[in-house]
Amino acid sequence: MAQWTSAVGAAQLARQLRAQQRPAGPGTRRPPAYRALADGIRLLVLEGRVAVAARLPAERELALALAVSRTTVAAAYEALRAEGFLESRRGAGSWTAVPAGNPLPARGLEPLPPEALGSMIDLGCASLPAPEPWLTRAVQGALEELPPYAHTHGDYPAGLPALRGMIADRYTADGIPTMPEQIMVTTGAMGAIDAICHLFAGRGERIAVESPSYANILQLMREAGARLVPVAMEEGLGGWDLNRWRQVLRDAAPRLGYVVADFHNPTGALADEERRRALVDAARSAGTVLVVDETMRELHLDEDVEMPRPVCAFDPAGSTVLTVGSASKAFWAGMRIGWVRAAPDVIRSLVAARAYADMGTPVLEQLAVNWLMRTGGWEEAVRLRREQARENRDALVTAVRRELPEWEFSVPGGGLTLWVRTGGLSGSRLAVAGEGVGVRVPSGPRFGVDGAFEGYVRLPFTVGGPVADEAAQRLAQAARLVGSGAGAGVEAPRTFVA
């Protein structure tokens, strides 16, 4: 059986290789043609532009597309096989790989231990402090409304009826008619996606994911036994590459597709309406269910950002699109309330399956979110959250550009993250060196499949002012250590390769 899960055409690969070429400086010695080709393909794999386990074109096809000899392509493929970046089997072709033992940092996203807060600047978690006084007011309001619920069993597997109705009304007000029966309240967005994966994608099922994508969701899916099929994003803030999505949906036939349409984590990309409609149509045709993560949707930071309609607007019945929302990013990470919007029969199935998982979501927190949404406190809290994130983003961008001018990134119009290309330095080494100098940052491979994005780090908008300046200075110190080779003997933390 072939080990590849997607394919890249000769013309497409040739375009990507030409796009990454840079003019050689004066006196620069050019490598042999086969070596340059092998290095180009290897870089595309490490940066996630070509997926791991993607079938490459036959030697003759790629030679024609690049206008080089077949011998050059054969030698490049052989070099990649020797380095562990290509595997082949007679009759099955050749597909991309990552060498065994390639460092994949396992830390950098979990909460920083309290004892380290005084000495370490935490750029690991993309979460901000609670927008007071709204957290306190919401909890006080919830306590006042709690007594009637205290006289019940307190078990609401689908969520409190009042909150289900409130969330449904918000979708309806956004132009997407929704009934409470189309809503299930969950314990955060992670709880929602975990329930969806267990219902729709058993062990061994394929799930198409953006490349890069949110690290914690990728790990959740791996642990559920899914086979992840990465679909490369366009450069910068371009968002989804629809041609690649159509190809993966056609060739890999994934059961699920997981996407973040609104201020994508980690790149910050915002998918336009044309892409949203096209992806829904392609998924429907392929029989793939789209899981759309909307947790960043309300965090538009610039006034000129025009928000497109939600993805579920192009599938109002909820049969192809399962929408996941949450209070954790827009309000506070400590408020572990999420929800799923889907067709009523899907919601019933999710609720029935939940009886063997977490049973339900805490009543008091549901009452707090319901109070916020009913009283207008939600809008005020989100406004405060946007202001803080905008200030932090601008401060961080200024500081990184000043201290690390060779690092490249596009500034997103919303969300909580900056996706940064580190000027050729290893993101894994930067993560290790950063902890040594007092700044904690997750490296790019956390957000890819099987070792992609080694030359990236993710920087969240969680610090501002002088702290952002200090964070950038510590990152620059870590970069100097890595660039000089001082950190080369330190083994990067690892996790398994799914």
Side-chain angles (χ1 to χ4, degrees), residues 205-270:
E205 290 276 7
R206 291 173 175 170
I207 301 179
V209 296
E210 298 154 323
S211 184
S213 186
Y214 179 37
N216 289 340
I217 295 297
L218 295 181
Q219 190 65 16
L220 182 156
M221 291 175 174
R222 290 188 187 103
E223 293 184 359
R227 298 172 61 190
L228 302 184
V229 183
V231 187
M233 303 276 285
E234 290 187 352
E235 290 279 358
L237 301 178
W240 301 327
D241 186 325
L242 266 300
N243 288 330
R244 294 187 182 188
W245 268 102
R246 291 188 184 100
Q247 182 180 20
V248 166
L249 293 174
R250 180 184 65 248
D251 295 345
R255 184 70 182 91
L256 293 177
Y258 170 74
V259 296
V260 184
D262 304 291
F263 308 118
H264 176 261
N265 185 356
T267 69
L270 177 65

Side-chain angles (χ1 to χ4, degrees), residues 87-344:
E87 296 181 10
S88 303
R89 181 182 301 156
R90 185 179 297 276
S94 299
W95 56 92
T96 57
V98 170
N102 194 65
L104 299 175
R107 57 187 174 186
L109 289 180
E110 67 278 3
L112 190 67
E115 62 270 17
L117 290 174
S119 59
M120 185 78 67
I121 298 177
D122 186 10
L123 297 181
C125 294
S127 301
L128 292 165
E132 289 288 30
W134 294 104
L135 174 62
T136 299
R137 292 179 182 177
V139 173
Q140 290 172 343
L143 287 172
E144 292 175 1
E145 298 175 4
L146 181 62
Y149 294 93
H151 293 292
T152 73
H153 49 65
D155 185 7
Y156 299 90
L160 291 184
L163 182 55
R164 295 176 73 193
M166 184 63 65
I167 294 170
D169 289 345
R170 292 175 67 84
Y171 279 107
T172 300
D174 210 10
I176 307 160
T178 303
M179 304 178 294
E181 292 79 8
Q182 291 179 260
I183 303 295
M184 181 178 83
V185 180
T186 62
T187 307
M190 291 286 287
I193 295 171
D194 182 59
I196 291 169
C197 287
H198 280 90
L199 179 63
F200 282 89
R203 299 193 70 83
E205 290 276 7
R206 291 173 175 170
I207 301 179
V209 296
E210 298 154 323
S211 184
S213 186
Y214 179 37
N216 289 340
I217 295 297
L218 295 181
Q219 190 65 16
L220 182 156
M221 291 175 174
R222 290 188 187 103
E223 293 184 359
R227 298 172 61 190
L228 302 184
V229 183
V231 187
M233 303 276 285
E234 290 187 352
E235 290 279 358
L237 301 178
W240 301 327
D241 186 325
L242 266 300
N243 288 330
R244 294 187 182 188
W245 268 102
R246 291 188 184 100
Q247 182 180 20
V248 166
L249 293 174
R250 180 184 65 248
D251 295 345
R255 184 70 182 91
L256 293 177
Y258 170 74
V259 296
V260 184
D262 304 291
F263 308 118
H264 176 261
N265 185 356
T267 69
L270 177 65
D272 58 31
E273 286 205 5
E274 182 181 352
R275 282 184 171 89
R276 294 171 189 235
R277 184 191 302 276
L279 185 57
V280 172
D281 290 344
R284 184 182 294 114
S285 298
T288 297
V289 174
L290 282 181
V291 182
V292 180
D293 186 333
E294 285 191 342
T295 53
M296 295 283 191
R297 179 167 176 82
E298 297 197 61
L299 294 177
H300 41 91
L301 307 184
D302 295 332
E303 293 183 359
D304 60 350
V305 173
E306 293 187 14
M307 291 301 297
R309 287 177 291 173
V311 177
C312 58
F314 306 102
D315 179 51
S319 56
T320 296
V321 175
L322 310 184
T323 302
V324 173
S326 173
S328 298
K329 296 298 184 185
F331 185 73
W332 184 48
M335 189 67 77
R336 305 305 303 164
I337 298 294
W339 54 85
V340 180
R341 181 199 180 276

Side-chain angles (χ1 to χ4, degrees), residues 359-370:
M359 297 293 291
T361 304
V363 170
L364 187 63
E365 292 185 22
Q366 291 187 72
L367 288 172
V369 172
N370 186 62

Side-chain angles (χ1 to χ4, degrees), residues 10-22:
Q12 176 187 346
L13 183 56
R15 284 195 302 271
Q16 291 178 273
L17 288 165
R18 293 188 183 105
Q20 70 178 191
Q21 290 178 351
R22 298 289 185 271

Side-chain angles (χ1 to χ4, degrees), residues 23-38:
T28 301
R29 185 176 180 180
R30 292 181 177 274
Y34 85 90
R35 183 69 261 172
L37 176 55

